[in-house]
Every structure is written in C-alpha cells, then in structure tokens.
Amino acid sequence: MPPRKPPGARRWGASPPSTPKIPTSVKAAVTRQAQELVDTVLTPRYVREPPADPQWNYIVALSTRWYRSSLYFCATYCCPGPNALSPSFEERFARMAFAGDKRFHLAFMRYTGAWVVLYHDLPLEECLTAIRDDPWFQIA
C-alpha cells in the first residue's frame, strides 16, 4: 500500500492563464468611447420616463464600470413595489475583457448568471458595434 500524503501536501496542477494588465492610455480611450456609446445610443434607447402606475422594475440609468482588466456595461433598475427589498439594483449585461494588443473578449450575461463569451479578440470598435447592434446585448 502506498504511503498516505499529509493533508496539507501541495499538488502540481495547471494554473489559469493570467490576464494581461491593461495600459492606462488604452483604458482611458476605451472608457471614453464606451461612455460615448452609453450616452448617445444606449441611454436614449433603453431609459424611459417612469410609468404613471409602476408595477414592475424599470431602467433608470446606464453606466460603465472597470473591474480589474474588464469593462462592464451596467443597467440600474428602480424597484417601485411596496414589497421591494431595495429601492434599486444594478445588473451587468455586457463585459469586455482585455485580451492584449487593444483587443477584447466580448461576453453577455446569461439568465442563469453565467457569462457567455460570444466573440474573442475583437478590436474596440467591433465590440462597441456588437453591443449597440447585436440582439444578445439587448436589455429589458
């Protein structure tokens, strides 16, 4: 019988690939262009006046947010009901993960809460076009 390993013994295994660090100049350009898309296209398309007698959640604002080397597109919803747990909540609907060399992996949030990567290694302009036009990135 082989000897037992102690409980704290280390094992060799493959580590996940490291994500490249995004340069500040690229980050600033991406932030500027993404915010321009939110302000000029997405906000007029999805943010409406509150209904007269609100019964369901509705979008009140759209924004972008960086977390590590990924840019997230977020929608803020208002919860008008008397039984609402909070007056509002934020939901992420698109993610641009930096892949290096000014390219991104573009993903959408599935209804299960898992990210699904649709496009790999897209340039910034193609990512923003996909978020604007692709039906996978429509928000309700």
Side-chain angles (χ1 to χ4, degrees):
M1 189 156 129
R4 289 187 66 158
K5 293 184 179 178
R10 294 185 182 200
R11 296 182 182 181
W12 289 92
S15 62
S18 63
T19 55
K21 183 159 174 57
I22 185 165
T24 54
S25 60
V26 173
K27 189 173 185 176
V30 170
T31 303
R32 183 180 43 77
Q33 290 182 12
Q35 192 60 44
E36 182 180 328
L37 173 70
V38 167
D39 293 341
T40 60
V41 177
L42 299 180
T43 298
R45 184 184 296 172
Y46 295 113
V47 178
R48 303 279 181 234
E49 290 294 321
D53 185 25
Q55 297 177 359
W56 295 281
N57 301 338
Y58 57 91
I59 299 173
V60 294
L62 296 173
S63 61
T64 58
R65 178 168 296 136
W66 282 98
Y67 182 71
R68 296 188 178 155
S69 62
S70 295
L71 178 68
Y72 292 90
F73 287 80
C74 308
T76 303
Y77 290 83
C78 180
C79 306
N83 298 326
L85 298 176
S86 67
S88 65
F89 66 94
E90 184 178 272
E91 189 70 29
R92 296 172 177 180
F93 63 92
R95 178 183 73 189
M96 290 174 40
F98 185 64
D101 195 30
K102 299 182 183 179
R103 295 185 170 273
F104 296 87
H105 302 308
L106 186 59
F108 73 94
M109 176 66 78
R110 191 168 181 225
Y111 70 93
T112 60
W115 287 103
V116 177
V117 179
L118 285 179
Y119 305 108
H120 293 274
D121 296 328
L122 282 184
L124 173 63
E125 293 77 21
E126 291 182 29
C127 287
L128 297 178
T129 301
I131 291 171
R132 183 187 69 215
D133 298 333
D134 199 326
W136 288 104
F137 299 101
Q138 290 182 359
I139 52 178

